[in-house]
Amino acid sequence: MKFDTPATTNPIDRLKVIGQPHDRIDGPLKTTGTAHYAYERHDAVPNHVYGYIVPATIAKGRVVNIDTATARRAPGVLAIVTAKEAGPLTKGQYNTAKLLGGPEVQHYHQALAVVVAETFEEARAAAGLVRVDYARSPGAFDLAAAKGRAVKPEDGQPDTAVGDFAGAFASAPVTLDAMYTTPDQSHAMMEPHATIAAWEGDKLTLWTANQMIHWGKGDVAKTLGLPPDNVRLVSPYIGGGFGGKLFVRADAILAALGAKAAGRPVAVALPRPVMFNNTTHRPATIQRIRIGATPDGKITAIGHESWSGDLPGGGPETAVQQTRLLYAGANRMTATRLATLDLPEGNAMRAPGEASGLMALEIAMDEMAEKLKLDPVDFRVRNDTQEDPEKPGRRFSQRNFVQCMRKGAEQFGWSKRSATPGKMRDGAWLVGMGVASAFRNNLVMKSGARVRLGTDGRATVETDMTDIGTGSYTIIAQTAAEMLGLPLSQVSVVLGDSSFPVSSGSGGQWGGNSSTAGVYAACVKLREAIAGALGMDAASAVFDDGKVSAGGRSVPIAEAAKSGEIVAEDSMEYGDLEKTFQQSTFGAHFVEVAVHAATGEIRVRRMLAVCAAGRILNPKSARSQVIGAMTMGVGAALMEDLYVDKRLGFFVNHDLAGYEVPVHADIPHQEVIFLDEADPVSSPMKAKGVGELGLCGVAAAIANAVYNATGVRVRDYPVTLDKLLDRLPTV
Amino acid sequence: MDITDQLNISRRGFLKLTAVSATVAATPPLVARAAVPDVARAPVTQQVAMEVNGKPATLSLDTRTTLLDALREHMHLTGTKKGCDHGQCGACTVLVDGRRINSCLTLAVMHEGSKVTTIEGLGTPDALHPLQAAFIKHDGYQCGYCTPGQICSAVGVLDEIRRDVPSHVTADIGAKATFSTAELRERMSGNICRCGAYSNIVEAITEVQEGRA
């Protein structure tokens, strides 16, 4: 099915099941420990053995020698695979660095070998007996030092320009020109990257934790030199991803190689302290923002430049993205530059681009509002635009950004905020409020599904879509239930198997809308087949309450399948509506913080997000997406910082004790409001993404609240108390 | 077990280790060599009997096996999760003799005679524990990987408050311990949820506590 004209009325609009705050259908399994994640498939793979990674302990250079002799003699050891034993491997399409290094070492903790043994303890002990001799090469590990050598990235649009930015900025009555930095961050999802691999002849099955099954299947095949049809990925439950599991990682390749060498199925999980340097991370940025405005607060010039680094062949953090679309202004420029760094591979983490870009831009907007003596909400509202600022006449499909700001301000009690920083006290605490805009584009991806109507009248949906905590199981079931007129309890959903139709996968906040649109397409086809089987006109047949009705007849849906299961499969593909319209999601984040007047300790007291993101398919799970993103935003604002050893080239704090993420004590009760929207330009679901929107802007809202509390402006994340202490108001 | 022999091996291993370390120091700066002991010791196994979810279990285990891996890899009770294996995330929280512990930080052989309760022992999909039901109702989870640990930890927390165990945020440790969201957030802070379901988890646990009160 092709979606190339805006949606009209369809069965989804009934909103009997979809759009309702149903509990997750996978809840009873997840809360009882009976949902089996990748490393836990004793049911599917009895008697597997264990592989343990040997990671590189230099950042760049060469392996001179790997001595595995002692390890091979260790008790229980079945096989050891290094690059030498593995033979030629091809780098995956989506990988920047090789997943099995040697002799060349491209980054710290790059995998150099897998040791396979009968037990986990034996594999781990033997891995410690592998002796590696290196020749270390000098590398570049410091973004600030490499910034001057940064170049235009090959892909994307490194430079954009509209009007005369330089002239308009020079002549603007009120201007801001400031530098901001964001640190390297880690996904740090709770489930480590893990895979169990089993070979049957030359066919390989991987029970693995992966967000994008089809990409993963392709890259496993490419890496190992197999025909894609010989590779099957199974990933029904995934313990978080946030972009860290978009791509095939070392666990999958090491398990496959280890299983081949040992002649047994092998389970490999990346040890937590190896994950931070072995896998991908959100790259650090240095950003320069210039804004020029008239005294009444109309932006006349806006410029955003960003520098980030990556391994050779890698890409930039596209931190300027939102600045091309978020605010009006006739004269604009952006520039993206990429430095070569020999740190671990930088890649997508939740809301890549916007998350980092808004951390800077939304502080800049706060600073500019202060210069203009305008309320920060009012300043943003004054610079709303209903069309693409780079392409006048190209409208947003829907843009209720101003409503988000106004609704949020009213709900949050924004009018109680003191415009002068450092004026609100609560005992020993300085209290402040901050606001920031949320913005993230809505992407649509081709997505397919197969839907079966069983002889018992139950529907089963099969798609290689994944649920990484996003609620895919539930919204897919709700979609099928709505389309077929069945109660939710009559629908089963099976996900994450590469033998199912190819879906959008989970990434870029496209999964919810795209995967359900694919299920919609398959259900349209199934409805036609059901109507045909019942001798009814498909176009006029109504599916409701377990029955199909047309031409005065009404029969139970199960009747259609009484002589055998009916199966339909289809995909939703997209035309060029995304060219005609700019599709984006919008929001406003409001935060109240308290900063201890003596110690500088920062506490987040209240958080509110107002989101305009099309139809909300399940308000309960969508709200969870947003509060989870707000929580990650607290981490970005106040604590998350992969600390770079600039001499040896690695992230020092590579575990969950050193890389601090928010815990219960850091997070207050959180409020989320969704505007009542349905965007017919996005898909027949009229939904858009929300899982990344919730993160965009949060950190800046917190930084702005800290400024409002203390009068101390921090432009280098994270905002930690050491950056406040010497500038706090006198106690 | 011959402790003297073990110590001798350790000393030999240590001497070899220091010899390798000395080599590292003496080599040119661009050559790094990892220091590893040239020892491959046979595993020591030991039998341990415990009660898991009300049922007796006797296992013969490598003494290096953690309680977590005994549950997951030997008893196939994979509801208890391995998030970090270092006591940093709380995903492996179980109840041992009624108290919550990180099962990754304790060896299985240390638990002769222990009564262990895992998430599977609290309830099943068809017969949910009140906390499991409350987590579903309040959407107190997303990916689900930290969830068993959160729920086991919550069972422990409610019991600690009942047993009058003070916490870091208890203002008066002489007074009776009371339930509050501040107490709950403090006591639950050893259980990381990267999906960020904290706000909902607190509401789920609070509802169960209030139902009890």
Side-chain angles (χ1 to χ4, degrees), chain A residues 24 27 30 37 40 42 50 70 129 133-134 136 186-187 272 620 623-624 628 640 662 664-665 669, chain B residues 30 32-33 37-39 72-73 81 83 88 132 137 139 141-143 150 188-189 194-195 198 200 203:
Chain A
R24 288 171 202 252
K30 283 183 172 174
Y37 297 77
E40 303 169 353
H42 299 292
Y50 296 83
T70 309
L129 299 175
D133 294 330
Y134 302 98
R136 186 182 282 138
S186 181
H187 310 84
R272 178 63 64 176
K620 183 178 271 192
R623 177 180 173 279
S624 286
E640 292 184 39
H664 276 278
H669 174 75
Chain B
L30 281 187
R33 169 176 257 208
D38 189 18
V39 181
R72 282 169 63 82
E73 305 305 327
K81 303 303 182 193
Q88 299 166 349
Q132 291 168 327
K137 178 182 167 190
D139 215 33
Y141 61 98
Q142 291 175 38
C143 81
Q150 300 276 356
M188 289 296 294
S189 281
R194 183 59 161 161
C195 295
Y198 297 129
N200 290 352
E203 279 158 31

Side-chain angles (χ1 to χ4, degrees), chain A residues 594-612:
Chain A
V595 181
H596 196 277
T599 67
E601 179 187 356
I602 304 165
R603 305 288 302 163
V604 177
R605 287 191 168 185
R606 292 195 296 138
M607 301 184 83
L608 166 69
V610 186
C611 300

Side-chain angles (χ1 to χ4, degrees), chain A residues 194-195 197 204 206 208 220 224 248-257 268:
Chain A
T195 301
L204 172 66
L206 299 173
T208 189
V220 168
L224 299 174
V248 175
R249 298 304 313 168
D251 55 299
I253 299 305
L254 296 181
L257 293 170
V268 175

Side-chain angles (χ1 to χ4, degrees), chain A residues 180-268:
Chain A
Y180 304 85
T181 62
T182 63
D184 297 287
Q185 295 177 347
S186 181
H187 310 84
M189 73 298 278
M190 297 313 296
E191 180 204 22
H193 301 261
T195 301
I196 302 178
W199 292 85
E200 264 183 72
D202 57 358
K203 290 193 190 302
L204 172 66
T205 302
L206 299 173
W207 291 264
T208 189
N210 191 292
Q211 300 175 223
M212 300 291 296
I213 297 302
H214 189 64
W215 294 2
K217 173 178 162 153
D219 260 2
V220 168
K222 187 178 178 195
T223 306
L224 299 174
L226 296 169
D229 283 350
N230 285 16
V231 177
R232 181 178 169 214
L233 263 63
V234 186
S235 198
Y237 297 102
I238 299 158
F242 314 114
K245 291 173 182 165
L246 284 170
F247 317 113
V248 175
R249 298 304 313 168
D251 55 299
I253 299 305
L254 296 181
L257 293 170
K260 188 101 189 167
R264 303 267 298 274
V266 169
V268 175

Side-chain angles (χ1 to χ4, degrees), chain A residues 118-135:
Chain A
E118 290 284 351
T119 72
F120 172 71
E121 293 76 20
E122 288 168 338
R124 182 180 57 191
L129 299 175
V130 174
R131 176 177 296 166
V132 187
D133 294 330
Y134 302 98

Side-chain angles (χ1 to χ4, degrees), chain A residues 67-89:
Chain A
D67 179 358
T68 57
T70 309
R72 279 181 202 281
R73 288 198 306 273
V77 170
L78 300 167
I80 298 177
V81 183
T82 69
K84 194 174 122 204
E85 285 85 8
L89 299 176

